Amino acid sequence: MSVEETVSPNNFIRHIIDEDIKTGKNEGKVATRFPPEPNGYLHIGHAKSICLNFGIAKDYDGTCNLRFDDTNPHKEDEEFVDAIQKDVKWLGFDWGGRLYFASDYFQQLHDYAVELIKNGKAFVCDLGADEVREYRGTLKEPGRESPCRNRTVEENLDLFKRMKEGEFEDGARVLRARIDMASPNINMRDPTLYRIRHGVIHHQTGEKWCIYPMYDYTHPISDALEGVTHSLCTLEFEDHRPLYDWVLDNISIPCHPRQIEFSRLNLQYTIVSKRKLTELVKEGHVDGWDDPRMPTIAGLRRRGFTSRSIRDFCDRIGVTKSDNTVEMGVLENCIREDLNEHAPRRMAVLHPLKVVIENYPEGHPEELDAANHPQDESMGTRKIPFGREIYIDRGDFLEVAPNKKFKRLVSGGEVRLRNAYVIRCNEVIKDNNGDIIELRCTYDPDTLGKNPQGRKIKGVIHWVSVTHAIEAEIRLYDRLFNLPAPESAGKDYKEFINPDSLWTLTQCFIELSMADAKPGEQFQFEREGYFCLDEAHVSGNRPVFNRTVTLRDTWSKKNSM
RNA sequence: UGGGGUGUCGCCAAGCGGUAAGGCACGGGGUUUUGAUCUCCGCAUGCGCAGGUUCGAAUCCUGCCACCCCAGCCA
């Protein structure tokens, strides 16, 4: 497979790793991890991180762990841990049995906390949440020390033990690191290490614990326990790195991974924020996490994106520290490139208009041969039934050509039926409203597989035989938001939800050969785009197809300007 | 002068003192029974701005400017 041969592009993180290997750091080993919190589905931004972490492990002959950062049972759920594993696997990565949970380390995390207390590096604080905030100071002014800051080791040990044993209510006390309330870095102003959470059932540890460690405390230790060498995270954690290092420097743990930050992905016309995606799902703006309009891995999969195209996308966008917003065109290009190569061609009529071929014999349908791929003979051919009555797309007929460049069918004009004959339109039948309901045509029997003598046929249109067509529902998707950057418009992003992001067409006709298509199977509907049979939905007894992406269309683009 | 970051083509992004890669997008030509694909050509005398060092600066120095992140007992 060509993807496996692709050389991953270099980036600044790989440069750092190259240097570490050259200088013999970590004995030349490379270990990364992908650490999602199971509080939502993975999205395209996570794909960037997954490709980075697993890609590095693969290329450097190292390892990449899948570790759930499950320190906040309030927001987390088993549904998400299952979905995340499914998505990482689907993206083509393998954690090889190294599946971990931060909650696996709760006991060790607790023991290291006791160690910090014993060394006077942590204390139990009685301040309430509001007071802690007040004492923290502001961005420009230093904070004040908690009145509890100078408790004795014995008292701290006793209080922490009683916190663990459930003696205190939620919020009554926290364990804090004893660092520096005057630090210009707010993260270093005696950050909270442990909080009390009663009455929640943790999806992994049940009711075993009522104190839960914070991210800033859990993450460095989890990394170190797993022997991670390079801990890759996004830019907003850059300010947390001093704390990451402080934790590891102040406990007796032999390993000290290096945290390296890179910028997160932003994609135009969508949002890549788990919190906001959760809102879209919960408030019903979309039909679940796997709605084909969602930038989630599950949504992209259902839309018809291949994992190969997503990996390709991640390679193309690169990894840097600069803020970036990638155009949809890049993602679209990736899936078009993949599907152009791999998707077999089919014909489907989305907006049917009936055509009767008057000089074609009745009751003598024939079977024509059609290539499954115009450039790849190895994909073979198929039979397509042709008959006296066919459907063409309404958009492929106009009574009068609007300009000399129009090459579809017009009254009195000729057009090539893809994989079949040239037809001429002789008559336009209309209903009482003046709407076109049928075309009367004749065909030239001498044009199958060859061009007619003495005249040039400019246009080619697709079609489907009326008697053999399968009725289908086709869903056309457009961008979820009608603003390139819905999150930074200074208003609620939900105001920019595109009301026309889904068009459902219920009376479409697809060619017979797709009768036994499998869920998820992908096709190019010639001249329309790439479509896949929906994984889950059948509407009545009609199959449902999702449009993954249109074909590139320089013609309509030019004419719409 | 609160701290931490980032600024190279419309969007990504190489570049690491020797004279601006590549991809997407865009414009144009060719082939074509998909207005697709494929193919060829074009697309930064310029690297946030201003100075300086140097034979030579996107790369080094100085000073500005713009944008992003941080005051959860979220991650």
Side-chain angles (χ1 to χ4, degrees):
Chain A
M1 213 62 6
S2 58
V3 171
E4 313 308 328
E5 295 160 10
T6 302
V7 178
S8 300
N10 245 331
N11 57 53
F12 81 100
I13 294 176
R14 286 169 178 258
H15 289 322
I16 290 171
I17 294 174
D18 290 338
E19 190 60 26
D20 288 346
I21 288 171
K22 199 160 59 175
T23 59
K25 202 173 165 189
N26 308 312
E27 293 153 349
K29 292 207 166 32
V30 175
T32 59
R33 99 273 91 113
F34 173 62
E37 184 189 13
N39 67 344
Y41 277 56
L42 263 23
H43 54 63
I44 186 77
H46 293 110
K48 174 178 178 177
S49 175
I50 291 166
C51 290
L52 210 215
N53 280 292
F54 281 95
I56 282 173
K58 187 179 172 199
D59 293 347
Y60 288 87
D61 199 23
T63 55
C64 180
N65 300 346
L66 175 60
R67 181 176 72 235
F68 286 98
D69 226 325
D70 56 346
T71 57
N72 186 2
H74 230 83
K75 295 184 172 177
E76 298 156 10
D77 195 284
E78 189 74 31
E79 176 200 351
F80 300 128
V81 346
D82 295 340
I84 288 169
Q85 291 183 64
K86 178 182 177 185
D87 289 346
V88 175
K89 254 184 230 165
W90 178 79
L91 273 174
F93 298 103
D94 181 11
W95 51 89
R98 290 178 308 278
L99 171 65
Y100 303 115
F101 291 83
S103 54
D104 294 342
Y105 313 131
F106 278 176
Q107 185 60 48
Q108 292 158 90
L109 258 358
H110 165 271
D111 296 345
Y112 281 122
V114 169
E115 187 182 326
L116 283 175
I117 294 170
K118 283 181 176 164
N119 292 325
K121 299 285 177 59
F123 65 99
V124 172
C125 183
D126 304 347
L127 257 27
D130 292 341
E131 292 169 303
V132 168
R133 180 162 45 247
E134 204 184 308
Y135 273 72
R136 189 156 33 227
T138 69
L139 292 177
K140 296 189 176 182
E141 299 153 17
R144 286 141 52 211
E145 297 186 346
S146 163
C148 310
R149 198 174 198 264
N150 294 314
R151 287 218 244 242
T152 63
V153 168
E154 290 66 34
E155 194 181 356
N156 281 318
L157 250 16
D158 174 61
L159 286 168
F160 186 53
K161 181 163 177 258
R162 288 158 63 192
M163 274 173 67
K164 185 185 75 164
E165 286 168 354
E167 190 172 316
F168 311 120
E169 292 178 356
D170 284 16
R173 290 190 158 89
V174 292
L175 182 73
R176 291 226 256 165
R178 201 164 180 274
I179 308 178
D180 177 12
M181 287 308 291
S183 172
N185 181 345
I186 288 190
N187 297 119
M188 300 299 271
R189 319 238 263 230
D190 293 4
T192 300
L193 266 24
Y194 268 91
R195 74 284 215 185
I196 300 171
R197 285 278 180 278
H198 286 291
V200 274
I201 313 252
H202 188 285
H203 49 99
Q204 301 300 317
T205 61
E207 294 180 284
K208 185 171 180 202
W209 297 85
C210 66
I211 54 171
Y212 288 94
M214 301 286 289
Y215 166 87
D216 281 319
Y217 176 67
T218 308
H219 209 83
I221 297 177
S222 302
D223 282 344
L225 290 171
E226 292 176 14
V228 165
T229 56
H230 303 269
S231 179
L232 316 181
C233 63
T234 42
L235 244 35
E236 66 270 27
F237 292 103
E238 210 153 19
D239 287 342
H240 297 238
R241 192 170 66 232
L243 180 50
Y244 183 102
D245 291 329
W246 183 93
V247 170
L248 296 178
D249 286 340
N250 285 280
I251 59 175
S252 58
I253 201 162
C255 179
H256 193 138
R258 197 231 277 210
Q259 174 177 305
I260 304 169
E261 310 83 10
F262 62 94
S263 54
R264 41 193 316 159
L265 165 70
N266 295 290
L267 237 200
Q268 282 193 348
Y269 296 103
T270 190
I271 54 175
V272 195
S273 145
K274 238 200 278 185
R275 200 204 94 225
K276 288 172 187 164
L277 291 174
T278 303
E279 252 172 39
L280 292 181
V281 172
K282 283 192 172 166
E283 294 174 13
H285 296 106
V286 294
D287 186 29
W289 286 98
D290 69 342
D291 186 302
R293 292 167 293 182
M294 290 280 273
T296 51
I297 305 302
L300 291 166
R301 175 172 55 231
R302 186 148 166 228
R303 173 84 169 253
F305 279 77
T306 59
S307 59
R308 178 170 42 209
S309 71
I310 294 173
R311 277 183 255 121
D312 183 31
F313 173 73
C314 291
D315 281 346
R316 292 191 196 209
I317 59 175
V319 176
T320 66
K321 298 188 70 156
S322 39
D323 290 334
N324 61 86
T325 303
V326 177
E327 291 175 342
M328 266 299 178
V330 181
L331 220 207
E332 290 177 348
N333 174 260
C334 290
I335 189 57
R336 283 194 186 114
E337 214 168 83
D338 186 6
L339 262 17
N340 174 54
E341 191 182 336
H342 298 101
R345 313 286 119 128
R346 293 292 184 269
M347 289 197 286
V349 173
L350 274 53
H351 306 93
L353 172 61
K354 192 170 166 186
V355 171
V356 176
I357 301 166
E358 295 179 300
N359 63 337
Y360 193 83
E362 280 184 72
H364 286 64
E366 62 182 317
E367 289 206 309
L368 307 177
D369 288 305
N372 288 328
H373 195 294
Q375 282 85 35
D376 185 356
E377 278 188 30
S378 75
M379 291 181 77
T381 61
R382 68 188 186 283
K383 297 283 186 189
I384 46 174
F386 184 77
R388 189 177 146 86
E389 297 190 341
I390 61 172
Y391 292 117
I392 66 168
D393 197 277
R394 301 198 86 92
D396 284 335
F397 175 78
L398 243 32
E399 285 191 86
V400 181
N403 57 51
K404 51 279 151 214
K405 289 201 171 174
F406 188 80
K407 32 193 258 196
R408 279 112 97 145
L409 189 60
V410 295
S411 252
E414 282 187 302
V415 78
R416 154 82 60 188
L417 294 176
R418 176 72 167 152
N419 297 316
Y421 304 93
V422 170
I423 57 169
R424 174 185 299 278
C425 175
N426 302 313
E427 191 185 346
V428 180
I429 315 264
K430 297 179 182 175
D431 64 12
N432 293 334
N433 298 322
D435 292 329
I436 300 171
I437 52 170
E438 186 180 305
L439 261 30
R440 293 278 166 163
C441 297
T442 49
Y443 84 118
D444 181 343
D446 198 32
T447 52
L448 186 62
K450 57 182 168 184
N451 285 322
Q453 300 282 311
R455 68 209 139 105
K456 188 123 180 155
I457 308 299
K458 282 190 300 181
V460 181
I461 64 173
H462 55 96
W463 55 275
V464 154
S465 163
V466 169
T467 50
H468 306 273
I470 299 171
E471 196 173 337
E473 175 173 322
I474 295 182
R475 297 180 185 168
L476 307 180
Y477 302 101
D478 199 355
R479 45 186 62 141
L480 230 197
F481 292 87
N482 45 34
L483 214 66
E487 293 168 285
S488 47
K491 283 185 175 178
D492 181 7
Y493 71 96
K494 277 179 272 185
E495 287 184 33
F496 306 110
I497 291 176
N498 177 8
D500 298 323
S501 59
L502 167 63
W503 285 93
T504 301
L505 307 178
T506 51
Q507 281 205 314
C508 308
F509 293 102
I510 64 174
E511 66 171 73
L512 190 58
S513 66
M514 285 184 283
D516 52 0
K518 306 279 179 295
E521 198 169 344
Q522 291 152 315
F523 302 98
Q524 183 198 95
F525 291 173
E526 291 197 70
R527 302 210 310 130
E528 291 289 357
Y530 296 97
F531 295 77
C532 71
L533 186 57
D534 192 79
E535 283 180 351
H537 291 230
V538 172
S539 201
N541 49 11
R542 288 189 307 246
V544 173
F545 281 84
N546 294 317
R547 184 174 69 192
T548 308
V549 66
T550 60
L551 255 29
R552 259 185 76 220
D553 187 358
T554 46
W555 182 72
S556 72
K557 196 177 287 177
K558 241 182 248 178
N559 286 273
S560 65
M561 289 204 226

